[in-house]
Amino acid sequence: MAGPRVVIIGAGVVGAALADEISARGWTEVTVVDQGPLPATGGSSSHAPGLVFQTNASKTMTELARYTVEKFSSLDVDGKPCFLQVGGLEVATSPERLAELRRRHGWITSWGIEGSLLTPDECVRQHPLLDRDRILGGLLIPTDGLAKAVLAVEAQIRRATERGVRFLARHEVLDVKHSEGRVTGVVTDHGELDADIVVCCAGIWGPKIARMVGMNLPLTPLGHQLAWTGPVPALAGQTEEAVRPILRHQDADLYYRDRYDGIGIGYYGHRPMPVSADDILSVDEAEEMPSVLKFTEEDFEPAWTETRSLLPATQEAKVEEGINGLFSFTTDGYPLLGESPEVKGFWVAEAVWVTHSAGVGRAVAEWLVDGYCSSFDLHECDVNRFEPHQLSPEYVLARDCRNFEEVYDILHPLQPSGDPRPIRTSPFYARQQGHGAFFLEANGWERPQWYEANAPHTEGRDIPTPNEWAARYWSPIVGAEAQLTRETVAMYDMTALKRLEVTGPGAAAFLERLCTGKIDKSVGSVTYTLLLDHDGGIRSDVTVARLARDRFQVGANGNLDLDWFSRHLPADGTVQVRDITAGTCCIGLWGPLARTVLQPLTDEDFSAEGLKYFRAKQAYIGSVPVTAMRLSYVGELGWELYTTADQGLKLWDTLWAAAEPLGGVIAGRGAFNSLRLEKGYRSFGTDMTYEHDPYEAGVGFAVKLDKDDFIGKAALALRKADVRRKLTCLTIADPQAVVLGKEPVHAGDSAVGYVTSAAYGYTIGKGIAYAWLPAELTTPGTTVHIGYFGQRIEAVVAEEPLFDPTMSRLRG
């Protein structure tokens, strides 16, 4: 026996995968408990239709699905395969969906999955039951298919059992024991199990189990309709379970799969049917199984009508059985993976569908055994990613139901998530409304994208209109605001960016240990630095300002940074970390006239020498006390000005009264993104993630290898010597060919990389796209092509930054 004592709660497709993967890595003192029988435990895995479509806008989700396909394809139970690789076909019955399939083809090309766009005739050849007259085109993924979930559970149970893992069926979990912030065991109706680590893989029961340690999971079980026809005459004599590709008709929220001479029909177009985890019946109480609710025929009527139109052969068949099966939905559509922030040793692997199950099993096993996950970038899936308001019951229910409704919708990258809104507003919200702000949402914050009050500034300016897709959630005002920032001065609301305060006698040493840059410098210093994981991958990029000997302000990227800091606090209490975002606000005052606006409002010296670049100081702006940091994410002279939330409105009015007479403007996020790309500034989570290292991402300057040890330092030596890909700046001459991100990049006939961030550069007069490319293709002047809705857009590798390479405007 090896490794710590692990108890996995739930022996469905996720728990079985984790037991298999973790035991393969040498941890064999593992016990898996489930309230149901094995291998069909009664959870979602037991009734799941098994469709595995790998296409996803998220690279991580696609890779989790790809591993699941690869693993399940290698498994069998007594000769019965665990995966039927019949392929996956998505069809379009509207022009909008046809365009969306071209975009989806771009995703899979970016992520390295084989796929092809089909004509209507080719779609019918793949799936002869389709009505040719209804189809405009399709997308075929040959490696998709049907997962036999219960068989996969059994196969992985057998493998894990051979390594010494125990599986205990019919063991209901009554409590998770914990003491002094650490798990100690699991209480079942058959007794107690001691544990050093407990992993909750309970699926739809996850929220109930997590509450046993005081953890709030933003997960809702929702009913989803699945029906089976009787014999379809056109399929008579089919002896194989599945011969046609699994089929998605997303225009009508439908999917289909073979079952011998009948067809399975899944439907997302009905009303949301949320169920509390506390109200799910036990295994013994349920008529069929706990995760199966009574089929509501009236909700299915539109699906059956549409099915008989799309697949005319079904007109001779009947729906003979159906269920409303429970599946887990989350507020953002991603799984919930990771360790509780409060109780060490309590982990969750929740909201995972069969499609991603084996990948999640591997990811969590690596995370547990190695301390980090090397195979997948999990920042989108980390359970600690949420802000406090995103855990409220009202928010969770509303967003989970909306995600059910939108599961097959065509969603624009900038499309807001809907109600409940507004939730978080900065002190400037009323003023922004008065200027006609067009708001989008960022972590619950209402964040202006542009201001209609600036519409007159578009007159006489060369602001090209992008293509139709890129023009959604866009206005020519964005271009005017960007240009005016470079010409005069602009005010930006930066309140939505998370701010942490790190204090205490051990604060400097603590930050030195976590950050790649030198932090223990003079009071007033501001440092751009990175947080790395133990494998040298980038966890975040932050700015650290030393405001006093034992007080630092950290400009962070989100709640995962707070979680990372909190997990590494010294046990002696010499360091404290707190989130100060809600009690503070920030205005970015940037542009060549920024000093002209600011200096008359204060007695402090804001000259180039009085407050140097990347320095901070306390000052009064009018009557408002501020922390001023001389840095700029848009590449212009200026400052980030912080104050408390109660004085934010006064700061705004004071600055605006001085800026407006000089031709200044208030500007939104659209302009901000264009300007930061002209300057080559990276955005964590988009341009670089856990899977990238500093040297690949072009931020190696933030790493000081000559300082004392920091997390990830040892791993960087190997990475620095072997840079095979680079984040690369591309420019696009065609002003209409604005891309938005995640598109594939081609060199000749081969897809060689993908776009991260993109925007039009209103100063340089070209489109800008940052992309991950092989190192050999990153020489300036190299021509590549970006795949965009089936088109090939020419792009050229450029030297960066595109704007102000001498930094004269920033340092002036």
Side-chain angles (χ1 to χ4, degrees):
M1 305 291 282
R5 297 168 298 177
V6 179
V7 174
I8 298 172
I9 301 173
V13 74
V14 180
L18 176 57
D20 179 35
E21 296 284 344
I22 202 171
S23 60
R25 285 163 176 76
W27 282 17
T28 54
E29 197 168 345
V30 178
T31 302
V32 184
V33 298
D34 200 291
Q35 63 183 338
L38 298 177
T41 62
S44 301
S45 303
S46 301
H47 70 73
L51 285 76
V52 176
F53 283 93
Q54 298 166 85
T55 307
N56 198 292
S58 164
K59 182 173 183 283
T60 296
M61 296 299 280
T62 294
E63 290 176 342
L64 292 170
R66 173 164 45 196
Y67 181 78
T68 301
V69 167
E70 292 170 354
K71 183 175 183 180
F72 283 7
S73 296
S74 70
L75 298 178
D76 70 88
V77 175
D78 301 329
K80 293 179 288 186
C82 294
F83 192 75
L84 307 178
Q85 200 158 51
V86 293
L89 176 63
E90 302 181 33
V91 294
T93 58
S94 66
E96 295 79 12
R97 183 65 62 178
L98 186 62
E100 171 72 355
L101 292 188
R102 295 189 183 109
R103 184 168 72 120
R104 294 172 68 80
H105 184 242
W107 293 342
I108 59 169
T109 303
S110 292
W111 315 144
I113 301 286
E114 178 190 352
S116 55
L117 293 166
L118 304 186
T119 66
D121 287 336
E122 290 171 330
C123 290
V124 174
R125 281 198 289 273
Q126 290 289 329
H127 203 295
L129 299 189
L130 287 166
D131 180 353
R132 165 64 177 78
D133 293 336
R134 292 285 313 277
I135 306 302
L136 301 182
L139 172 62
L140 178 69
I141 314 298
T143 52
D144 286 347
L146 287 168
K148 307 292 292 179
V150 175
L151 281 179
V153 168
E154 185 173 357
Q156 292 175 103
I157 286 176
R158 290 185 180 185
R159 285 160 47 125
T161 301
E162 289 175 356
R163 303 187 191 106
V165 175
R166 289 194 304 161
F167 286 82
L168 303 178
R170 295 284 186 174
H171 278 59
E172 182 182 358
V173 173
L174 304 178
D175 196 12
V176 177
K177 297 175 63 178
H178 52 100
S179 176
E180 298 181 352
R182 178 175 290 279
V183 295
T184 59
V186 172
V187 180
T188 78
D189 56 353
H190 289 275
E192 297 186 11
L193 300 167
D194 293 334
D196 305 302
I197 294 172
V198 174
V199 188
C200 178
C201 302
I204 54 178
W205 291 277
K208 183 177 180 179
I209 299 296
R211 280 200 305 273
M212 295 175 181
V213 297
M215 189 176 183
N216 187 1
L217 281 187
L219 180 160
T220 303
L222 281 120
H224 161 56
Q225 291 201 300
L226 176 64
W228 300 95
T229 71
V232 176
L235 304 182
Q238 181 173 319
T239 57
E240 295 181 59
E241 180 178 351
V243 296
R244 280 164 292 278
I246 53 176
L247 178 67
R248 278 206 282 199
H249 174 31
Q250 297 186 88
D251 280 325
D253 299 303
L254 285 161
Y255 63 77
Y256 304 94
R257 56 150 295 177
D258 286 7
R259 189 173 71 167
Y260 300 104
D261 62 352
I263 293 176
I265 306 167
Y267 185 44
Y268 287 105
H270 55 79
R271 61 191 168 88
M273 303 176 185
V275 176
S276 169
D278 295 315
D279 295 334
I280 301 171
L281 297 177
S282 69
V283 172
D284 293 328
E285 292 173 323
E287 183 175 335
E288 183 175 349
M289 64 179 74
S291 61
V292 169
L293 306 181
K294 184 179 179 181
F295 187 59
T296 49
E297 294 183 8
E298 64 276 12
D299 289 306
F300 193 71
E301 286 179 5
W304 184 231
T305 299
E306 177 62 19
T307 296
R308 286 178 290 177
S309 172
L310 184 75
L311 308 175
T314 60
Q315 295 175 12
E316 303 178 61
K318 294 181 179 180
V319 173
E320 292 196 346
E321 55 183 304
I323 62 171
N324 289 357
L326 293 178
F327 288 102
S328 299
F329 281 78
T330 62
T331 56
D332 57 8
Y334 291 106
L336 307 174
L337 312 179
E339 187 180 23
S340 162
E342 304 294 339
V343 180
K344 292 182 179 180
F346 183 82
W347 289 67
V348 299
E350 288 289 341
V352 181
W353 291 5
V354 173
T355 300
H356 309 102
S357 59
V360 165
R362 177 176 180 175
V364 176
E366 289 181 354
W367 200 349
L368 286 166
V369 175
D370 301 331
Y372 58 89
C373 177
S374 58
S375 296
F376 309 97
D377 163 35
L378 296 181
H379 85 274
E380 294 172 316
C381 306
D382 193 313
V383 71
N384 296 296
R385 65 189 180 269
F386 300 103
E387 296 291 326
H389 75 274
Q390 294 171 321
L391 299 175
S392 70
E394 178 186 3
Y395 181 95
V396 170
L397 180 61
R399 288 293 172 91
D400 288 359
C401 288
R402 184 179 179 92
N403 275 330
F404 177 89
E405 294 172 335
E406 293 181 344
V407 69
Y408 279 175
D409 286 1
I410 299 170
L411 300 177
H412 192 275
L414 294 178
Q415 187 165 323
S417 299
D419 291 333
R421 281 183 70 189
I423 296 177
R424 308 172 84 182
T425 57
S426 78
F428 324 127
Y429 185 59
R431 297 290 186 267
Q432 293 165 343
Q433 288 178 306
H435 283 83
F438 180 84
F439 291 101
L440 296 180
E441 182 191 359
N443 285 328
W445 291 98
E446 296 297 315
R447 189 167 66 182
Q449 193 74 357
W450 69 81
Y451 295 88
E452 288 294 333
N454 290 327
H457 293 298
T458 63
E459 297 296 325
R461 293 183 177 275
D462 182 16
I463 303 172
T465 299
N467 58 80
E468 187 273 336
W469 184 250
R472 299 185 189 184
Y473 304 99
W474 174 87
S475 166
I477 298 169
V478 169
E481 291 176 359
Q483 291 176 355
L484 283 163
T485 303
R486 299 256 188 254
E487 296 166 5
T488 57
V489 64
M491 291 166 49
Y492 288 83
D493 181 2
M494 304 299 290
T495 303
L497 300 182
K498 184 174 280 290
R499 292 171 291 285
L500 308 177
E501 185 179 71
V502 182
T503 57
F510 169 75
L511 289 168
E512 285 284 345
R513 171 65 178 154
L514 267 65
C515 297
T516 62
K518 184 69 175 174
I519 306 300
D520 193 1
K521 299 186 291 190
S522 62
V523 172
S525 64
V526 182
T527 305
Y528 173 80
T529 185
L530 307 174
L531 308 179
L532 303 182
D533 215 327
H534 295 275
D535 65 345
I538 301 171
R539 287 196 63 94
S540 189
D541 64 336
V542 299
T543 55
V544 180
R546 191 170 202 171
L547 303 182
R549 175 179 173 80
D550 296 334
R551 180 165 67 91
F552 297 80
Q553 181 171 309
V554 178
N557 280 300
N559 211 58
L560 289 180
D561 293 343
L562 174 60
D563 180 68
W564 185 251
F565 280 5
S566 299
R567 290 182 187 280
H568 290 87
L569 286 172
D572 60 9
T574 57
V575 183
Q576 297 80 43
V577 176
R578 67 186 186 102
D579 185 349
I580 62 171
T581 310
T584 57
C585 58
C586 178
I587 296 173
L589 181 72
W590 295 312
L593 300 183
R595 187 174 285 119
T596 308
V597 170
L598 193 65
Q599 189 61 76
L601 302 176
T602 180
D603 293 334
E604 292 289 334
D605 183 3
F606 276 84
S607 68
E609 291 300 316
L611 185 60
K612 295 181 179 180
Y613 187 53
F614 265 78
R615 296 288 298 179
K617 69 177 175 181
Q618 312 293 324
Y620 284 94
I621 305 302
S623 60
V624 180
V626 303
T627 298
M629 299 186 194
R630 192 174 168 200
L631 55 151
S632 165
Y633 208 49
V634 301
E636 291 291 339
L637 168 68
W639 303 267
E640 291 180 357
L641 303 171
Y642 297 89
T643 191
T644 52
D646 62 318
Q647 297 183 80
L649 191 59
K650 181 64 175 176
L651 177 62
W652 178 280
D653 289 343
T654 301
L655 292 172
W656 180 238
E660 186 181 24
L662 297 175
V665 294
I666 52 177
R669 187 69 178 185
F672 179 90
N673 194 50
S674 171
L675 296 169
R676 70 103 177 165
L677 286 177
E678 288 184 333
K679 193 60 184 168
Y681 292 145
R682 277 63 168 148
S683 174
F684 177 80
T686 303
D687 298 316
M688 54 190 186
T689 67
Y690 294 2
E691 67 176 301
H692 305 117
D693 71 47
Y695 308 111
E696 297 173 325
V699 289
F701 63 87
V703 177
K704 307 303 180 186
L705 290 175
D706 57 348
K707 63 173 278 188
D708 290 339
D709 194 27
F710 56 85
I711 293 176
K713 181 179 179 181
L716 284 185
L718 294 175
R719 287 191 179 245
K720 187 175 184 180
D722 189 28
V723 176
R724 299 184 182 183
R725 58 182 176 177
K726 291 183 179 179
L727 185 62
T728 307
C729 180
L730 305 175
T731 58
I732 303 167
D734 184 349
Q736 287 194 319
V738 176
V739 301
L740 296 180
K742 302 186 178 181
E743 298 88 0
V745 179
H746 300 267
D749 294 330
S750 301
V752 293
Y754 58 92
V755 174
T756 58
S757 297
Y760 189 79
Y762 297 100
T763 310
I764 66 168
K766 294 180 181 179
I768 306 168
Y770 271 77
W772 282 100
L773 296 178
E776 63 270 18
L777 293 177
T778 60
T779 303
T782 301
T783 298
V784 294
H785 290 83
I786 299 172
Y788 187 69
F789 287 94
Q791 306 172 32
R792 293 290 179 92
I793 296 172
E794 184 176 285
V796 178
V797 175
E799 293 272 11
E800 58 172 332
L802 299 169
F803 177 78
D804 189 26
T806 65
M807 304 282 282
S808 59
R809 293 173 75 102
L810 276 170
R811 298 180 182 275

